[in-house]
Amino acid sequence: MSIRKRRSIFDVIEEYFESVEQWMDRIRESLIEGPSWDCKSCTIKPLSDITVASDKVIVTVDLPYAEESTIKVLPIDKDMIEVTAKMRRKISFDDFGITHHKGEFHTFKCQVYIPVPVYIDKMEVKFKKGILVIELPRKREYEIPIK
Amino acid sequence: MDEEIKIIEVRKAPKEAYMIFGFPDVGLVGVIAASHLITELGLTEIAYIESKLLPPVTVLHEGLPHSPIRVYGNHQIMLAVSEIPLQEELVHPVTRKLIDWGREKEVKLMISLSGIPVPGRQDLEELKVFAAASTGETLKMIQEKGVEILMEGYMVGPQAVMLQYCATLKLPAVTLLSQCFFNYPDPEAAAKVLDLLANIIGVKVDVSKLIEKGEEIRIKARDIMRRTQQELAKMGKSQEFDIPLYIR
């Protein structure tokens, strides 16, 4: 029988505040809008979407002009993945008719927060019609017995 | 509220024309289709909307300010297009104002171009276009053109207001909805809806460039799509996935 180390109430409170802070950061990030591009890193933030199904989480990312062989999906935390992809051609502000900014972009980059526990190591990735589909099986942490 | 919205005419609007609506919605189908139509048919600006109710936004084109909601046209078409997503509280007054204005111009048919989101859209090889109409006669006319009718379901957004308001006024109106992505710009769906529009109004529209430039459009349309997503969420757009309890 394994002996579980009891955490102090202070640890529990600290963990709680940490999780609230993380949650606030995410809310803040979604409320404060920045540009969808970054000239320094020459990256564009692609559109992404997430669907939480009963058995899996499906993340999609819109990657037009992406070179399929360069697409990378990396878990950067237990609840966060990062998608990067090189473009087949560089895009510049001139292409959009914009003259008050200068810069060109050759890479897509975005981070997607996964709101429920998943097996990140079991993710399946597909790419079709410029849409990246990432499927992550959901973790079942516990089961409630039916009496 | 309707009185606080003005339509300023910059050129004489045609009488008895088709009036088309292309507003930001799922897949930006309407806006992408409208933008292509303006280029392909060489439509020019005939009117724009002025209102204190609109967000404090002007769209700069070649250094000059333009209202984000404008009407383009030629001798047989009027096309209302918006470069910003309509906020929920503006959907009714703006749509109604445009319909009332179109009514004054004795528009023969109002047509809104939009999309119907489908999960797993990337797996669809052939996109279907559905239609709904404001009156029984208009519905019959559309069916005779071989268009599949959206028989039951919810519709949310400017096209819903357009259809309902035209039904109240007994004006002929049609909404064309191509299967599309919910959250991503969908030029292919816009091309589909334009093919059908061309068939209905008897105008030749070449959509090949729209398909060719699909990826470029998807990159350019990211930011307007992002803002549209926020407005669609406020409008309860996902209700379109619901199965209605139809009370007869």
Side-chain angles (χ1 to χ4, degrees):
Chain A
M1 200 177 115
S2 64
I3 300 162
R4 218 172 118 194
K5 197 184 165 191
R6 234 186 171 157
R7 291 178 305 162
S8 77
I9 185 71
F10 298 105
D11 288 338
V12 174
I13 291 170
E14 200 181 318
E15 271 180 31
Y16 173 75
F17 279 109
E18 263 175 24
S19 69
V20 168
E21 209 173 306
Q22 280 176 4
W23 179 76
M24 288 295 287
D25 283 345
R26 273 179 215 123
I27 297 285
R28 220 174 287 134
E29 202 175 56
S30 65
L31 291 177
I32 302 166
E33 294 167 22
S36 61
W37 40 266
D38 181 0
C39 285
K40 275 186 187 166
S41 59
C42 301
T43 56
I44 280 184
K45 191 177 172 186
L47 292 168
S48 62
D49 195 18
I50 183 161
T51 307
V52 179
S54 59
D55 58 340
K56 60 187 168 189
V57 172
I58 306 162
V59 176
T60 62
V61 187
D62 189 24
L63 298 173
Y65 280 137
E67 186 68 67
E68 189 173 352
S69 60
T70 66
I71 298 172
K72 284 183 188 150
V73 186
L74 295 173
I76 56 168
D77 205 344
K78 64 180 192 311
D79 57 2
M80 185 84 80
I81 54 170
E82 184 178 86
V83 176
T84 56
K86 295 266 182 214
M87 293 177 194
R88 290 198 307 277
R89 54 161 279 204
K90 284 179 184 172
I91 301 286
S92 69
F93 281 115
D94 292 344
D95 296 326
F96 304 136
I98 290 171
T99 52
H100 61 285
H101 289 299
K102 293 286 168 209
E104 55 180 24
F105 310 96
H106 50 62
T107 305
F108 285 111
K109 186 177 180 182
C110 71
Q111 292 179 347
V112 183
Y113 165 67
I114 314 293
V116 293
V118 290
Y119 294 104
I120 280 202
D121 54 328
K122 288 181 185 170
M123 73 168 122
E124 282 181 22
V125 183
K126 284 183 281 183
F127 186 62
K128 196 173 179 185
K129 288 188 181 173
I131 304 289
L132 186 73
V133 183
I134 306 156
E135 293 190 356
L136 302 130
R138 282 184 70 171
K139 249 183 205 172
R140 296 286 166 207
E141 303 263 275
Y142 53 85
E143 205 165 287
I144 299 165
I146 298 166
K147 290 176 186 168
Chain B
M1 207 178 190
D2 291 16
E3 292 72 42
E4 295 176 58
I5 294 169
K6 286 181 196 161
I7 296 183
I8 314 287
E9 291 183 31
V10 293
R11 223 162 41 80
K12 197 170 183 286
K15 290 267 180 187
E16 294 179 30
Y18 290 101
M19 186 160 178
I20 302 160
F21 295 76
F23 286 160
D25 191 22
V26 286
L28 296 179
V29 176
V31 183
I32 296 171
S35 168
H36 186 71
L37 214 52
I38 291 166
T39 311
E40 272 298 304
L41 303 182
L43 306 180
T44 52
E45 189 177 336
I46 54 176
Y48 63 88
I49 283 192
E50 190 191 75
S51 174
K52 285 178 190 168
L53 301 173
L54 291 177
V57 175
T58 189
V59 187
L60 293 167
H61 286 303
E62 294 173 352
L64 296 171
H66 294 264
S67 164
I69 307 173
R70 304 189 291 282
V71 182
Y72 286 79
N74 62 13
H75 64 287
Q76 60 172 144
I77 289 170
M78 292 199 287
L79 169 65
V81 63
S82 175
E83 291 198 59
I84 53 166
L86 280 191
Q87 291 161 300
E88 188 192 1
E89 58 274 20
L90 284 174
V91 172
H92 274 279
V94 168
T95 313
R96 281 166 179 251
K97 189 73 188 183
L98 284 165
I99 290 168
D100 289 338
W101 181 75
R103 202 178 171 200
E104 282 171 25
K105 309 292 173 202
E106 297 161 33
V107 162
K108 57 180 168 188
L109 180 65
M110 308 259 182
I111 308 166
S112 70
L113 310 177
S114 192
I116 185 163
V118 214
R121 150 73 182 93
Q122 67 277 1
D123 298 322
L124 295 182
E125 291 304 327
E126 193 62 35
L127 301 179
K128 279 185 183 179
V129 183
F130 296 89
S134 59
T135 66
E137 283 160 23
T138 319
L139 195 70
K140 200 174 160 213
M141 180 272 285
I142 288 296
Q143 269 177 314
E144 281 168 2
K145 298 259 181 198
V147 185
E148 202 166 328
I149 303 300
L150 187 72
M151 298 299 281
E152 310 280 335
Y154 293 108
M155 200 184 278
V156 179
Q159 67 276 20
V161 174
M162 189 274 265
L163 213 55
Q164 187 62 56
Y165 190 49
C166 286
T168 307
L169 299 174
K170 295 188 172 53
L171 289 176
V174 177
T175 291
L176 302 179
L177 305 151
S178 170
Q179 289 180 317
C180 67
F181 289 112
F182 193 114
N183 280 330
Y184 302 141
D186 201 332
E188 206 185 328
K192 269 284 172 193
V193 100
L194 280 178
D195 274 340
L196 188 55
L197 174 80
N199 176 294
I200 292 169
I201 66 173
V203 169
K204 199 171 174 288
V205 181
D206 182 7
V207 295
S208 58
K209 278 185 202 155
L210 189 53
I211 302 290
E212 277 168 33
K213 289 189 167 184
E215 286 186 295
E216 188 184 323
I217 294 167
R218 278 161 62 188
I219 294 240
K220 282 184 179 173
R222 279 172 318 117
D223 288 336
I224 182 171
M225 186 78 251
R226 218 184 295 273
R227 297 207 179 267
T228 304
Q229 285 169 7
Q230 292 165 2
E231 292 306 325
L232 293 179
K234 285 183 209 160
M235 260 180 236
K237 187 72 184 177
S238 59
Q239 195 179 349
E240 287 189 354
F241 289 123
D242 292 1
I243 297 163
L245 168 69
Y246 185 64
I247 302 158
R248 287 176 196 275

